[in-house]
Amino acid sequence: MERTFFVTTPIYYVNAEPHIGHAYTTILADFIYRFNLSLGIDSYFLTGTDEYGDKIFTAAAEKNMTPQDYSDKISGKFRAEWDSIDIKYSDFIRTTDDRHKRIVQYVLQKIYDKGDIYFGSYGGNYCMGCERFLTDKEMVNGKCPDHNKETQYIEEKNYFFKMSKYQDWLLDYIDKNPDFIRPERYKNEVLSLLRSDRLEDLCISRPTSRLTWGIPLPFDNNFVTYVWFDALINYISALGYPDGDKFKKYWSAAQHIIAKDILKPHGIFWPTMLKAADIEPYTHLNVHGYWNMDDAKMSKSLGNVVTPRDLINKYGNDQIRYFLLKEMTFGLDARFNEDLIIDKINFDLANDFGNLINRTFNMAGKFFSGKIPEFGNDNAGRDDLVAGIKKSAEDYILFCSKFQISIGLERLWEFIRSLNKYIDDTKPWQLAKDNNTDKLSSVIRNLLEGIYGISVLLSSVLINISPQIIAALNAAGASSNLDALLSMNNLTSGTVLGELGILFPKIEKAKPEAKAESDKEKRMNETGLIDIGDFSKVDIRVAKVIKAERIDGSDKLLYLTVDAGQEQRNIVAGIAHVYSPEDVEGKKILLVFNLKPATLFGKESQGMLLAAKKSNKDKPQVIFIDDTIPIGARLG
Ligand code: MSP
């Protein structure tokens, strides 16, 4: 059967306008959709808006609008926002669409007829922000930790879905399909929820006496459907479940993208709902972290919301796509500020890629009147370049397929940097001076071929600039097939290169800050001292080692799974020559929590354990922490 690919974003609530957090997930989905298309895979990309429930009803009332008018307006804004930044969704679903309502009722009836929905009574702490009841364990000081708001105690008669019936099935399914939820930390989070308690059944209705803004239950119109039960079904209603062609074609290749905030509904409610309705589970749930504005969560109430369109107008669409995709390590939170965007543009795009293009095009202009030269007879170094692009492209494809886009891009950049080094090593200006046209032709041709290959590979990220480069190389009709690409022989000798100008202009940072920063660095260099602000950037937390194991092939490294309070982390620690796994299991240690992850012996290390040694010759001694200090406590 032909390979297919189906990617979804969450459908966004219409109680807030689109911001950069929503844009990230949508750009990531757009990237992965275009990336799969470029591999020749028949792909489909779904996004949309979530319009029912208490939250929307209240937001509409505050604006003196009917919930439908209000939803129309905000849903329209989401769609317009995505259109304006060239998001190529295949379908945009709204939960108020008739096609969706029908299927929600169909699924409810199916599960009801099966006996998995019953009528009962429930009292619990409801968080309006999450639109769900929280368990005691999830609350902190009587509040929802995500929304920092008191929950409301609600007791009423309602319909329940027998979620608990599917707990063991789900545990088993996740065990057998280790990539079902990825990255691993979120799989572990779901597993620990499933293992720690008996699942409660899911309350799936709201009485119309309390809320009318919802889809009526097909078997009792005194109730409307609970918003999460309704919303999750969008992923299949949009494909025309149960009989639609799109459902038949794409569902078996479904991959959801969400952020960690909505892990429980997607990791637990949704697969059990699918199971109850006799539908195959999705293939992967891909969970990314949160963008934080310099450590604070982005939210309307904090007034630090950044709109995608403003940013794109300021820095460029391709530049923002590159920044977002490169800066966030899959699964981890990322910091968002404009300095970081400027750094990515100046270093990666302008210095590395932009310079490579400018230098090559200028030299082709100067030495070959702007025409693409033939390869010369002396082509020393070409084999390394061909091997280089092969390795980079394969890694890029491998990592991007696993949603580790930032690592994939890094691998591609290794090839870009190697081409810049090739210029420095071969010194084309010297070859020209020596009249060595033969070798000079090879060098320039190899560079142009390399630029072509990179531009094709990057065309899912740099959606406007890649086609410009390809057009300037007169290669719009050349093969973009991977094998052809890797041959580094795709351009037509003798054709005239187009004009490109400066593709990635460098951006100056705001002066006063830049100066303060360099003054600070100078002071630090002079005295060797850092100030408290510098120190506070390092987030060190108490964590407990849950599991430790040796890493095959290394006698120095242990692979630890630690509980850091809010989340589990895996870290690689260079202590295996001093400590056995049993020495550290169950002990509390200090963990550098905000260290950029690194991969060692094929394992991602998501932080660093603190150890001390007197000199480099000594063995490290792990700093074990008194058991009375709680897990997650921050050092400072
Ligand atoms: N309506 C539900 C989803 C139903 S899906 C069946 C919902 N909507 S939401 O508008 O709150 O969107 C949440 C999602 O927006 C996150 O899971 C993430 O994809 C994206 N993000 C919102 N803010 C974000 C950040 N600050 N950082 C990263 N992603 C963010 O939940």
Side-chain angles (χ1 to χ4, degrees):
M1 218 174 71
E2 198 194 349
R3 253 182 93 188
T4 56
F5 178 75
F6 174 43
V7 65
T8 69
T9 71
I11 45 171
Y12 304 111
Y13 286 129
V14 291
N15 69 332
E17 298 192 8
H19 61 61
I20 197 72
H22 306 122
Y24 171 68
T25 314
T26 312
I27 288 172
L28 175 60
D30 181 75
F31 162 77
I32 207 82
Y33 165 70
R34 291 174 191 251
F35 169 79
N36 275 277
L37 276 184
S38 75
L39 297 178
I41 299 170
D42 181 348
S43 306
Y44 202 76
F45 164 20
L46 174 69
T47 188
T49 43
D50 187 357
E51 306 182 6
Y52 287 118
D54 282 321
K55 212 158 44 177
I56 312 301
F57 188 83
T58 310
E62 278 167 9
K63 295 265 185 293
N64 266 332
M65 290 173 88
T66 66
Q68 187 64 61
D69 285 350
Y70 174 76
S71 298
D72 289 349
K73 181 174 155 208
I74 309 286
S75 178
K77 284 200 174 182
F78 270 94
R79 204 172 172 140
E81 187 79 30
W82 302 154
D83 289 340
S84 81
I85 61 170
D86 294 324
I87 299 295
K88 242 167 90 174
Y89 53 82
S90 318
D91 192 4
F92 188 101
I93 187 148
R94 302 181 53 185
T95 52
T96 51
D97 287 348
D98 276 342
R99 58 171 173 159
H100 174 72
K101 290 195 258 185
R102 256 189 303 115
I103 303 303
V104 169
Q105 293 188 325
Y106 176 89
V107 173
L108 279 164
Q109 190 68 51
K110 187 169 179 188
I111 300 180
Y112 183 73
D113 291 345
K114 199 177 168 185
D116 281 349
I117 289 176
Y118 64 90
F119 195 56
S121 158
Y122 184 78
N125 295 303
Y126 194 75
C127 168
M128 181 97 120
C130 297
E131 292 266 21
R132 65 181 179 89
F133 287 102
L134 302 188
T135 61
D136 290 347
K137 271 199 186 149
E138 285 175 310
M139 303 219 301
V140 177
N141 302 328
K143 287 182 175 176
C144 163
D146 276 355
H147 293 92
N148 200 20
K149 276 204 187 121
E150 309 261 332
T151 52
Q152 229 181 320
Y153 188 82
I154 296 182
E155 191 166 353
E156 61 196 12
K157 283 200 173 316
N158 263 311
Y159 284 88
F160 291 83
F161 163 52
K162 284 188 192 164
M163 195 155 74
S164 56
K165 180 173 157 189
Y166 297 100
Q167 179 165 7
D168 291 339
W169 165 79
L170 184 56
L171 262 169
D172 187 54
Y173 190 85
I174 296 176
D175 260 348
K176 290 195 175 122
N177 298 276
D179 275 350
F180 183 55
I181 299 171
R182 59 187 181 188
E184 207 178 352
R185 64 181 54 212
Y186 297 111
K187 173 184 97 170
N188 290 340
E189 214 172 286
V190 168
L191 281 177
S192 78
L193 278 172
L194 288 171
R195 284 192 183 124
S196 61
D197 276 319
R198 200 71 220 141
L199 271 190
E200 284 180 17
D201 288 342
L202 183 66
C203 175
I204 56 149
S205 64
R206 299 289 177 264
T208 44
S209 54
R210 182 156 77 78
L211 177 75
T212 49
W213 185 235
I215 300 175
L217 293 184
F219 40 82
D220 188 343
N221 61 14
N222 291 317
F223 291 85
V224 293
T225 313
Y226 163 53
V227 60
W228 268 109
F229 199 92
D230 140 21
L232 288 159
I233 291 174
N234 91 86
Y235 299 133
I236 55 173
S237 66
L239 293 182
Y241 169 79
D243 301 318
D245 289 344
K246 290 196 189 99
F247 181 75
K248 288 182 193 148
K249 190 167 177 189
Y250 295 113
W251 179 250
S252 59
Q255 298 214 27
H256 302 308
I257 307 179
I258 59 165
K260 61 184 186 181
D261 55 335
I262 50 178
L263 177 62
K264 189 172 177 183
H266 284 81
I268 297 183
F269 302 177
W270 183 222
T272 54
M273 285 165 63
L274 287 166
K275 180 70 184 163
D278 298 319
I279 304 169
E280 279 297 297
Y282 50 79
T283 319
H284 295 291
L285 179 63
N286 301 289
V287 189
H288 64 74
Y290 246 69
W291 284 98
N292 294 322
M293 301 297 293
D294 277 334
D295 292 340
K297 191 169 158 176
M298 201 184 305
S299 81
K300 220 158 79 173
S301 51
L302 290 174
N304 58 2
V305 170
V306 180
T307 72
R309 211 178 312 193
D310 290 349
L311 270 182
I312 280 163
N313 287 342
K314 193 162 168 190
Y315 296 106
N317 196 358
D318 290 12
Q319 284 83 342
I320 293 298
R321 285 172 75 96
Y322 176 76
F323 165 75
L324 292 172
L325 295 169
K326 180 72 202 297
E327 184 69 13
M328 183 173 263
T329 303
F330 182 43
L332 300 184
D333 287 355
R335 224 152 54 97
F336 186 94
N337 69 44
E338 294 197 32
D339 271 2
L340 292 170
I341 300 179
I342 295 173
D343 282 347
K344 279 275 167 301
I345 294 176
N346 286 351
F347 295 134
D348 297 11
L349 295 176
N351 274 2
D352 293 337
F353 193 35
N355 259 344
L356 171 67
I357 298 168
N358 286 341
R359 292 165 90 189
T360 307
F361 271 62
N362 283 340
M363 291 189 290
K366 199 161 154 197
F367 305 138
F368 297 99
S369 320
K371 289 193 184 143
I372 299 179
E374 293 268 10
F375 292 106
N377 291 322
D378 178 354
N379 206 345
R382 176 175 162 84
D383 290 350
D384 286 348
L385 294 181
V386 174
I389 194 170
K390 184 167 188 301
K391 178 89 188 84
S392 284
E394 284 172 358
D395 283 357
Y396 175 69
I397 291 169
L398 177 79
F399 283 106
C400 289
S401 306
K402 296 190 288 185
F403 278 76
Q404 297 176 353
I405 323 289
S406 98
I407 305 182
L409 285 169
E410 186 51 39
R411 296 298 160 89
L412 212 52
W413 249 252
E414 279 171 16
F415 181 61
I416 294 179
R417 291 189 199 110
S418 77
L419 286 180
N420 274 320
K421 185 163 178 302
Y422 177 68
I423 301 183
D424 299 340
D425 291 347
T426 52
K427 300 191 178 51
W429 49 92
Q430 192 60 48
L431 295 173
K433 237 193 216 162
D434 300 343
N435 285 326
N436 189 349
T437 317
D438 181 70
K439 174 121 197 240
L440 183 61
S441 313
S442 298
V443 170
I444 301 300
R445 178 64 182 262
N446 284 331
L447 288 167
L448 291 167
E449 292 283 352
I451 291 171
Y452 172 70
I454 297 159
S455 305
V456 173
L457 289 165
L458 276 178
S459 52
S460 313
V461 184
L462 305 179
I463 55 176
N464 299 298
I465 293 175
S466 273
Q468 278 177 42
I469 304 170
I470 294 168
L473 291 164
N474 292 307
S479 173
S480 54
N481 159 290
L482 192 62
D483 287 335
L485 212 62
L486 301 186
S487 71
M488 291 258 291
N489 189 2
N490 293 288
L491 305 178
T492 312
S493 310
T495 50
V496 181
L497 295 169
E499 283 288 324
L500 274 176
I502 303 290
L503 292 171
F504 307 103
K506 278 207 177 182
I507 300 171
E508 282 215 25
K509 283 193 188 168
K511 282 264 159 41
E513 252 177 60
K515 191 170 173 314
E517 198 53 41
S518 75
D519 284 352
K520 201 158 108 188
E521 266 171 30
K522 235 193 251 155
R523 267 200 319 275
M524 205 182 104
N525 289 342
E526 279 162 12
T527 60
L529 300 177
I530 58 169
D531 61 30
I532 189 80
D534 293 324
F535 176 69
S536 68
K537 283 185 193 153
V538 187
D539 182 353
I540 302 177
R541 300 190 189 181
V542 174
K544 185 169 183 167
V545 181
I546 306 169
K547 203 168 116 195
E549 55 196 1
R550 293 188 184 278
I551 294 184
D552 277 351
S554 166
D555 46 9
K556 271 217 171 128
L557 300 179
L558 281 188
Y559 188 56
L560 312 180
T561 305
V562 301
D563 177 0
Q566 287 170 341
E567 56 186 82
Q568 277 190 11
R569 292 270 176 105
N570 294 315
I571 54 173
V572 177
I575 53 170
H577 52 313
V578 190
Y579 297 87
S580 68
E582 303 75 57
D583 293 336
V584 289
E585 266 175 0
K587 298 252 174 69
K588 285 185 180 167
I589 50 113
L590 286 174
L591 171 75
V592 182
F593 192 76
N594 60 343
L595 194 69
K596 269 207 168 159
T599 304
L600 294 155
F601 277 77
K603 304 258 184 212
E604 192 190 42
S605 185
Q606 302 155 341
M608 183 175 92
L609 152 156
L610 288 190
K613 55 185 172 185
K614 222 168 161 193
S615 81
N616 269 343
K617 277 180 267 148
D618 295 317
K619 294 190 168 157
Q621 277 182 282
V622 175
I623 321 269
F624 290 116
I625 292 297
D626 186 332
D627 206 33
T628 57
I629 305 181
I631 293 172
R634 276 182 76 156
L635 206 74

